[in-house]
Amino acid sequence: MSYFDAASSAPLHPVARQALLAALDEGWADPSRLYREGRRARMLLDAAREAAAEAVGCRADELVFTSSGTRAVHSGVAGALAGRRRTGSHLIVSAVEHSSVIHSAEAFEAAGGSVTRVPVQRTGAVTVESYEEALRPDTALACLQSANHEVGTEQPVAAVAEACRAAGVPLLVDAAQSLGWGRVEGDWSLLTASAHKWGGPSGVGLLAVRKGVRFALQGPLDERESGRAAGFENLPAIVAAAASLRAVRAEADREAVRLRELTELIRTRVPMTVPDVEVVGDPERRVPGIVTFSCLYVDGEALLHGLDREGFSVSSGSSCTSSTLTPSHVLKAMGVLSEGNVRVSLPPGTAQEDVERFLAVLPGAVAGVREKLGAAPAPAGVVRAGELVVDALGKRCPIPVIELAKVIGNVPVGGTVRVLSDDEAARLDIPAWCEMRGQEYVGEEPADHGSAYVVRRVS
């Protein structure tokens, strides 16, 4: 089985396993106690904090360990906003942040705060100018991920941090996808990360708060972790997290070159062997190992199951693979196709033979799903009417897109197709289809029991 979902959770690094087992024997006592076992545990905790801080690029007393990366984000956002409540109640986030940041923003908004969601380009990157325009006198905090978890695009963190610093606004960086590859550049104010993203154990997050940043932790205070992370430290997991971070950093330069070559192979080969595919994300400014593409006329869940049967574990931002049945907010913000979406994220050590086998299997898997969905285009036959209506109400994407593709040739150039759909994904996927196929998306209109999406034939 080839595991290609490291962006969700990387396999446990061998160094993490060794450190975890050793710390279970040596680090089980309370590190706040003064007896021998407590002092030994405290030494392990201090050493782990020093190692993690060195990897982050901050002082040891600026970093605390939390119970997860999500908890680090929630605590960091809430603490920074509370610490600057006299400045104002305005928060800036990008439209493609991790759900932990999005949920923090929603909670802040529900409590009376205001939130600006900065749009992204089709590559998934924000512009520095968009953050500069979003800054206001009452801005308390800005958030920006270092690299996107779904498409791998790196963000201009250093330049955004400079703009925020000039405005006197702290910047919180979610570095979950990039910290294993290197430090986050720029004069950021707060940083969060999660150990299971770089091969450490799950249940360990990092929160770094620079000296001088106003921070007021919300909720009951605790004497542990400078009062910023309540509860008894999971010391064995913390030791394993710090040890594995140091280990992956030592391998990062060499492994990054290898994984970039493998992902470039995927980016190049997939459009050559699979028809109607769009590779998304920035082609250059991206973290190693992540490549994402969307296949027209494909149900994402069916494709993932097909690849799983062939021995490949990949993930998707398609709505049909989500418990919420809504399209990925990242793909939606980028304006790219969400259905039939595949994210391949290669863990360190991935063999080229496994990637070659994936590329050999993928065309057949996609073709099989399309055949089951009846996605073969209908014979082109121009009709005299200037508009056709496709009733796809009650049908989930990609069916509305498939039906559109079948009939677009049946209207004259300049004619329109009106697709009736009540699937939320159609709002994203029909315009994305037009972009990919060179047709004109006219717009959305209200319709009984759903919406009408109007497409004009250009060619």
Side-chain angles (χ1 to χ4, degrees), residues 5 8 148-151 280 291-295 298-301 303-304 314-334 336-344 396 425 428-429:
D5 194 24
S8 292
N148 187 260
H149 49 292
E150 290 196 30
V151 300
V280 301
V291 57
T292 303
F293 54 89
S294 297
C295 307
V298 167
D299 176 86
E301 184 175 8
L303 180 56
L304 262 59
V314 298
S315 63
S316 172
S318 298
S319 60
C320 55
T321 66
S322 168
S323 59
T324 62
L325 294 181
T326 58
S328 155
H329 71 278
V330 172
L331 302 178
K332 183 176 181 180
M334 293 169 61
V336 300
L337 189 73
S338 71
E339 288 307 316
N341 173 266
V342 175
R343 180 186 69 182
V344 176
R396 285 174 49 195
L428 171 64
D429 287 352

Side-chain angles (χ1 to χ4, degrees), residues 413-448:
V413 173
T416 58
V417 177
R418 185 180 299 269
V419 183
L420 304 179
S421 177
D422 53 3
D423 182 5
E424 177 67 22
R427 182 169 286 114
L428 171 64
D429 287 352
I430 290 177
W433 178 88
C434 293
E435 179 77 19
M436 293 176 67
R437 306 306 296 165
Q439 307 298 342
E440 179 186 352
Y441 178 65
V442 178
E444 177 184 351
E445 299 175 357
D448 292 341

Side-chain angles (χ1 to χ4, degrees), residues 8-269:
S8 292
S9 187
L12 192 67
H13 194 282
V15 169
R17 185 183 302 276
Q18 296 169 3
L20 180 65
L21 293 175
L24 286 171
D25 291 331
E26 298 294 328
W28 49 267
D30 187 344
S32 66
R33 302 307 179 194
L34 299 179
Y35 42 70
R36 179 182 305 171
E37 295 84 357
R39 296 197 304 272
R40 185 183 301 127
R42 169 55 64 180
M43 290 175 62
L44 290 173
L45 180 58
D46 289 345
R49 197 184 314 279
E50 289 280 354
E54 193 278 331
V56 168
C58 67
R59 293 170 36 162
D61 60 353
E62 293 175 330
L63 184 143
V64 299
F65 296 103
T66 65
S67 58
S68 67
T70 294
R71 172 50 58 191
V73 167
H74 291 173
S75 298
V77 171
L81 288 171
R84 285 175 48 83
R85 58 185 175 272
R86 291 184 179 178
T87 299
S89 57
H90 177 233
L91 170 66
I92 301 173
V93 301
S94 83
V96 294
E97 294 298 310
H98 186 268
S99 59
S100 59
V101 176
I102 298 297
H103 294 160
S104 291
E106 290 171 347
F108 180 64
E109 203 168 29
S114 62
V115 178
T116 296
R117 294 168 176 84
V118 176
V120 296
Q121 301 167 309
R122 194 172 175 84
T123 61
V126 303
T127 64
V128 179
E129 293 75 18
S130 63
Y131 262 75
E132 289 175 333
E133 292 170 1
L135 290 166
R136 306 187 327 206
D138 65 336
T139 302
L141 176 68
C143 300
L144 181 63
Q145 59 191 192
S146 55
N148 187 260
H149 49 292
E150 290 196 30
V151 300
T153 297
E154 293 179 333
Q155 301 289 0
V157 171
V160 170
E162 183 178 351
C164 290
R165 178 70 64 178
V169 174
L171 177 69
L172 182 148
V173 178
D174 171 16
Q177 287 299 336
S178 72
L179 192 60
W181 298 109
R183 290 183 180 180
V184 176
E185 299 298 327
D187 197 9
W188 48 265
S189 301
L190 302 97
L191 182 141
T192 64
S194 187
H196 72 100
K197 300 290 188 178
W198 66 67
S202 58
V204 179
L206 305 181
L207 170 60
V209 182
R210 297 280 199 195
K211 293 295 183 183
V213 175
R214 291 188 176 276
F215 191 90
L217 186 71
Q218 300 303 284
L221 298 179
D222 195 296
E223 67 274 10
R224 298 180 185 275
E225 292 301 294
S226 304
R228 293 175 179 171
F232 196 94
E233 297 92 345
N234 185 353
L235 187 53
I238 288 171
V239 170
S244 58
L245 180 56
R246 175 177 286 178
V248 298
R249 282 289 191 83
E251 306 161 353
D253 290 344
R254 179 182 67 256
E255 196 61 25
V257 172
R258 255 186 20 91
L259 292 188
R260 287 188 189 280
E261 291 175 350
L262 293 178
T263 51
E264 187 58 33
L265 179 64
I266 297 172
R267 290 180 61 85
T268 303
R269 188 86 62 83

